[in-house]
Amino acid sequence: NKELHVRGLNNSKLSVFVYDISGKLISRFYQKGNGKNKFNLDDLKTGIYVIKVNFENKSRIKKVILK
């Protein structure tokens, strides 16, 4: 399974956006933080993606490679 794990955020609204390498929005997820959130990425093809996680008026951006 292809999963994205976001850990350490409790009781925060999480917004996760998945972009392809060209910047096109591919998928989005919304959950309430529980400390160990999982997001299923099985629908994504092999490739390079940019993941943006928004929480508590902050954001983190990471590049990931799915094989």
Side-chain angles (χ1 to χ4, degrees):
N1 290 345
K2 298 177 201 168
E3 292 182 328
L4 171 69
H5 296 261
V6 178
R7 295 188 177 133
L9 298 173
N10 292 311
N11 300 318
S12 298
K13 280 184 160 182
L14 297 178
S15 303
V16 176
F17 301 94
V18 181
Y19 300 91
D20 67 12
I21 198 65
S22 71
K24 179 181 175 188
L25 180 63
I26 301 297
S27 192
R28 67 186 86 178
F29 305 94
Y30 302 97
Q31 288 185 10
K32 184 173 181 176
N34 63 18
K36 296 181 192 176
N37 291 78
K38 292 181 185 179
F39 300 90
N40 186 322
L41 303 178
D42 282 340
D43 292 341
L44 299 180
K45 296 178 183 177
T46 298
I48 300 171
Y49 295 90
V50 175
I51 308 288
K52 181 178 181 184
V53 179
N54 293 334
F55 60 98
E56 298 175 352
N57 297 322
K58 299 175 188 172
S59 64
R60 297 289 183 263
I61 299 172
K62 297 287 182 183
K63 182 169 63 171
V64 297
I65 300 171
L66 295 180
K67 297 181 180 183

